[in-house]
Amino acid sequence: MSILISGFEAFDGSTSNPSACIVQALLTRSDIATVILPVDSVHGPNRLLETIPKIQPQAILCLGEAARRSAISVERVAINLKDYRIPDNNGITLQDEPIISDGPDAYFSNLPVRKITQAILAAGIPVELSLSAGAYLCNQVMYAAIHATRFTTPRPLVGFIHLPSLPQQVVEKNQSYPSMALETSQKAVQIAIQVIRQTLENNSSQDINSA
Amino acid sequence: MSILISGFEAFDGSTSNPSACIVQALLTRSDIATVILPVDSVHGPNRLLETIPKIQPQAILCLGEAARRSAISVERVAINLKDYRIPDNNGITLQDEPIISDGPDAYFSNLPVRKITQAILAAGIPVELSLSAGAYLCNQVMYAAIHATRFTTPRPLVGFIHLPSLPQQVVEKNQSYPSMALETSQKAVQIAIQVIRQTLENNSSQDINSA
Amino acid sequence: MSILISGFEAFDGSTSNPSACIVQALLTRSDIATVILPVDSVHGPNRLLETIPKIQPQAILCLGEAARRSAISVERVAINLKDYRIPDNNGITLQDEPIISDGPDAYFSNLPVRKITQAILAAGIPVELSLSAGAYLCNQVMYAAIHATRFTTPRPLVGFIHLPSLPQQVVEKNQSYPSMALETSQKAVQIAIQVIRQTLENNSSQDINSA
Amino acid sequence: MSILISGFEAFDGSTSNPSACIVQALLTRSDIATVILPVDSVHGPNRLLETIPKIQPQAILCLGEAARRSAISVERVAINLKDYRIPDNNGITLQDEPIISDGPDAYFSNLPVRKITQAILAAGIPVELSLSAGAYLCNQVMYAAIHATRFTTPRPLVGFIHLPSLPQQVVEKNQSYPSMALETSQKAVQIAIQVIRQTLENNSSQDINSA
């Protein structure tokens, strides 16, 4: 039983990204596959899409940074839109373009988003169910991963969690927006992985029972 | 050479207060005296004022919680005003009253507030020089402590640092405001203590040189 | 050529709603049909859906209030989700339910949202292209209207604009969130209507040319 | 009976300033003297201080803009500190300097700030009693005016009101912070002037009665 966790490289002038830090810390776990994606309109999603068939994961949890947010954001929906407010790390800015030309307008995550949120909350960590993953690379990767796996059997659980900036990123950028300690974000992601694992186990035992 | 650090009890429906947590963690240090103040319009300031002559500290650093702030706030000024937005833990709400009837309108902190801020920033922790400590117990305790020690010889360094809420407090109150991990706030306070200690040592060696 | 504009009744303890005020001010225009919807999980969308076939509008612009937002929000997307944070005016709170059981996860608005935003901006009014209409009545009405008209020929332009609270609403609720004067919101809506009208005229002349 | 109202020129890249707009609109009133101050660390306060003896006003109400605030802010206190976050219009940035070398740390406004706030609130306009006028030109002018008139007999009422940015300023700067329509801010200032006038009349009749 395997879970694929993706994170992003640093972008927008930062020297770090909480999602990459968390992914690196997961490298040692044998039950988890990881990949760090470039913040690149083409290679970001492609790197993830190339990794999926190699791993054939039962669940894909993508992580990214959401500057200005003060809580962990469990994303409910990815929309078929690329509308970048800042350029990607390759200098590309896209406006009002679809991710998949003939794709549906949006996909809901099939992760147990409510359960994940409740479990993180129960651990005393600020978290919200978010209704928008934006229209930048994070949303794009989430949309692309759900789209690419929608006919896979069995269909993997796919979703996205946004993390607040790290304290040192806020300092680096001389901004006044909120932050979250890496330890806190990391604990939230570990809880999310645990909830996903339980869901997979439950699904798996139901399949056996119904066979 | 001794430094007195004060914190506050929990208030406004919270079960904890980052300032009390930090003060408790400092209990084991022999060079630091600590006191936790009740969130009470009368006994809060009095508890601090009773402690000062017993300790005769060279510096007094008061700590408190500022819900809604995302950064450590090093306070520059305390004003002669009690104007509570929420009642104290004894149910008392005061409006438009002076702290000291014939006291000056305000006192600047004589802590090295700029140096403290720069040192915390250098450690990658979000921090700001704040122009208002509010008009609640925090401001009251800061004003009272500066007023009470203004003619003491040698005059102690006195000031106040506001800490963001802890993550679990934000969850407890079902709010969406920012938080800061206890470890991060604690590190910031340790840095502040170090800067205060250096300032005291420099002042002390200057006194010896000038004698 | 007709445009249908909807607004909502007051809700969440307010005695007014900027969307209702603006709709009332449009009552005298012969080229515009209006309807004010109850903030009711069933009758809100139904009232709109009943009105559409009677008017057979070429465009439907739904208006609603978004407390806490400081700018006019031109919504890009409606999602198939009812997840109320506050009860409707009938006391009903829904969680994690679809609007249309077998409907697609989301619909993009087919209004010229970018042009509308640019025209409002050119008039010096704060405005943003919004990626989430929430998961309350506003989103529900937008989703329902797009869903109901998706096979109508010719297909009407359908979308939603969120308005900040009025200054007096913020005062009424003793809150500190931003507001926008009714005159400013009203001007923004008038500009949106003008852009929609031009789009309809352009579409219409293209149809003639292509005939 | 005369009241002096000051405003500021545009600054920080804006082409307008709500305080200047309101002052210009008051030019026609014979009972009010007005002055628009340059955003200049030296000439700003000086222009006001030169005007005061010519007018010998019974009250001085200074107005300024506070970007990022969503409500009218009636300032309670001015502090003896120049600590600019942005340069003045002459390119000067000051840090940690006193306004008056041997002046007190702060002055409370002697305007009826609570009554002004309540009257503006009663008109349905978002307003707050503010505990900090910042450490820029606004605070400097407020401090300088109170300091300069503290021994004048009879002592004039002196204070400061901060106004949110105008909608078009937020658009100009491509920012997402809140704004307030000029009409709303203007009404708030008119109400403040009315409360000040009533206070002056009451004081005046008390003086006669007590004579």
Side-chain angles (χ1 to χ4, degrees), chain A:
Chain A
M1 186 168 63
S2 72
I3 301 176
L4 173 60
I5 314 278
S6 76
F8 277 108
E9 286 178 352
F11 69 106
D12 192 26
S14 252
T15 59
S16 59
N17 186 319
S19 67
C21 300
I22 289 176
V23 164
Q24 276 152 2
L26 291 168
L27 276 176
T28 53
R29 285 180 57 168
S30 62
D31 57 337
I32 287 174
T34 63
V35 60
I36 292 182
L37 310 174
V39 177
D40 179 303
S41 63
V42 175
H43 299 299
N46 283 359
R47 182 76 53 85
L48 181 63
L49 297 187
E50 291 158 14
T51 308
I52 296 173
K54 295 179 196 159
I55 308 291
Q56 299 190 6
Q58 292 177 282
I60 303 167
L61 175 60
C62 306
L63 304 175
E65 178 192 353
R68 289 181 186 72
R69 295 199 194 174
S70 62
I72 300 287
S73 295
V74 181
E75 298 297 345
R76 300 191 84 134
V77 63
I79 61 174
N80 191 9
L81 179 70
K82 292 182 282 190
D83 194 52
Y84 298 3
R85 297 193 182 182
I86 53 170
D88 72 6
N89 282 349
N90 201 22
I92 301 297
T93 305
L94 302 170
Q95 190 177 75
D96 297 346
E97 290 188 22
I99 296 166
I100 306 286
S101 301
D102 55 352
D105 291 352
Y107 285 115
F108 283 127
S109 172
N110 61 351
L111 285 181
V113 291
R114 174 77 56 185
K115 274 188 190 167
I116 290 171
T117 304
Q118 285 168 338
I120 294 173
L121 212 57
I125 299 173
V127 62
E128 55 170 18
L129 271 168
S130 167
L131 298 172
S132 172
Y136 194 55
L137 264 295
C138 293
N139 171 73
Q140 190 176 337
V141 154
M142 179 181 174
Y143 185 94
I146 299 177
H147 186 76
T149 59
R150 71 197 184 288
F151 299 134
T152 306
T153 310
R155 187 174 177 183
L157 302 177
V158 186
F160 198 99
I161 292 181
H162 263 118
L163 313 166
S165 296
L166 299 169
Q168 58 266 38
Q169 289 182 287
V170 173
V171 169
E172 253 178 32
K173 294 193 180 177
N174 196 22
Q175 291 290 350
S176 59
Y177 48 71
S179 62
M180 187 174 274
L182 181 58
E183 292 70 22
T184 312
S185 283
Q186 199 163 359
K187 194 175 161 195
V189 172
Q190 283 163 347
I191 291 167
I193 292 173
Q194 212 172 340
V195 173
I196 292 169
R197 184 167 303 285
Q198 284 162 357
T199 303
L200 292 173
E201 282 168 9
N202 290 347
N203 291 355
S204 168
S205 66
Q206 281 168 9
D207 290 350
I208 293 167
N209 292 340
S210 66

Side-chain angles (χ1 to χ4, degrees), chain C residues 19-153:
Chain C
S19 68
C21 300
I22 289 176
V23 165
Q24 274 152 5
L26 291 168
L27 276 176
T28 53
R29 285 180 56 167
S30 61
D31 57 337
I32 287 174
T34 63
V35 59
I36 293 182
L37 310 174
V39 177
D40 178 303
S41 63
V42 175
H43 298 299
N46 283 0
R47 183 75 54 83
L48 181 63
L49 297 187
E50 290 158 15
T51 307
I52 295 172
K54 294 178 194 160
I55 307 293
Q56 298 191 5
Q58 292 178 285
I60 303 168
L61 174 59
C62 305
L63 305 176
E65 178 192 353
R68 288 183 186 72
R69 295 199 193 174
S70 63
I72 300 287
S73 295
V74 182
E75 299 296 345
R76 300 190 84 133
V77 63
I79 60 174
N80 191 10
L81 179 70
K82 292 182 282 192
D83 193 52
Y84 297 3
R85 297 192 183 184
I86 53 171
D88 73 5
N89 282 350
N90 201 24
I92 302 296
T93 304
L94 301 170
Q95 191 178 73
D96 295 346
E97 292 188 19
I99 295 167
I100 305 287
S101 300
D102 55 351
D105 289 353
Y107 286 114
F108 283 127
S109 172
N110 63 351
L111 285 181
V113 292
R114 174 77 57 187
K115 274 189 190 168
I116 290 172
T117 303
Q118 285 168 337
I120 294 172
L121 212 56
I125 299 174
V127 61
E128 55 170 18
L129 272 168
S130 167
L131 298 173
S132 172
Y136 194 55
L137 265 294
C138 293
N139 172 72
Q140 191 175 337
V141 154
M142 180 181 173
Y143 185 94
I146 300 177
H147 187 75
T149 59
R150 70 198 186 287
F151 298 134
T152 306
T153 311

